[in-house]
Amino acid sequence: KSIATDQKICAVTASVTGIESEEAIRLFMSVCRGTGIVPCVFVTVDWLEGHADAMELLEGAELGLLFLESPQKWSNKRTMAAIAEANESFMRLTGSFPNYVRISDGNASQAVDMAMQSYGQMLIGSSLSLTDAPSPGGIADCDLLDSTTGYTLAQYYGTTLSQGYTVQPLSQLLSK
């Protein structure tokens, strides 16, 4: 949800499931490009499969794998298989491995946590929303994108600058 640091650094994340409009994604990414923010955008495999032609909209973002519900199955073996299947689909559709994973509804079970660790993945939450004040090492989440998210992000960015913060890519924040 955040990293332990005294530095005035933070990151921005968002989630894309298919309910958001293409225009909302365009506006969000336009604000990101204009401000130099490199967000981590979590996408579902279903979104990737249904929007292959829209992948260029997310150009410049780090991508993560989004599970709408915890991928826990009845056994550790089935949980590992479900995560492996999602990872394979993500790699096939994006050309990269999903280092970061978010579960939007529910918590990760011990089996899910162990599976993610065995695949070298990091489960990412957030400690802030775009309407909160930035905090050292905080991960601000835009949640699902809508027609106002781009504007709210621009305001958040202005607040971070005025308070002396730097918005970093999630990968850079986590390497601290």
Side-chain angles (χ1 to χ4, degrees):
K1 292 187 177 196
S2 65
I3 64 161
T5 184
D6 292 334
Q7 296 178 339
K8 289 188 167 192
I9 54 176
C10 58
V12 170
T13 64
S15 298
V16 174
T17 65
I19 64 168
E20 54 289 307
S21 69
E22 187 174 302
E23 191 56 38
I25 296 171
R26 283 186 195 285
L27 178 59
F28 172 75
M29 289 305 298
S30 177
V31 170
C32 289
R33 283 188 285 281
T35 58
I37 293 173
V38 177
C40 183
V41 178
F42 292 92
V43 295
T44 63
V45 169
D46 287 344
W47 185 86
L48 289 170
E49 288 173 340
H51 296 85
D53 58 328
M55 279 297 294
E56 75 272 359
L57 295 175
L58 299 177
E59 189 175 319
E62 295 180 329
L63 293 180
L65 175 59
L66 176 66
F67 287 101
L68 296 179
E69 296 177 348
S70 183
Q72 88 188 33
K73 300 296 180 185
W74 294 113
S75 67
N76 288 350
K77 185 176 180 179
R78 288 187 63 195
T79 297
M80 290 284 290
I83 294 171
E85 182 181 335
N87 286 340
E88 288 176 25
S89 294
F90 187 98
M91 288 190 312
R92 177 177 45 82
L93 296 163
T94 67
S96 64
F97 183 77
N99 294 313
Y100 308 120
V101 177
R102 174 169 281 161
I103 300 172
S104 64
D105 188 29
N107 295 320
S109 67
Q110 185 176 3
V112 171
D113 189 48
M114 287 175 34
M116 302 252 173
Q117 287 180 27
S118 70
Y119 290 121
Q121 294 172 295
M122 190 176 294
L123 193 56
I124 303 295
S126 66
S127 56
L128 306 167
S129 73
L130 292 182
T131 58
D132 295 325
S135 65
I139 299 172
D141 185 43
C142 300
D143 199 28
L144 297 175
L145 304 179
D146 63 26
S147 61
T148 64
T149 306
Y151 301 108
T152 307
L153 177 60
Q155 290 173 327
Y156 179 79
Y157 181 70
T159 301
T160 62
L161 285 181
S162 69
Q163 294 182 17
Y165 279 81
T166 303
V167 180
Q168 297 183 338
L170 184 62
S171 59
Q172 191 175 345
L173 179 76
L174 296 174
S175 70
K176 300 290 181 194

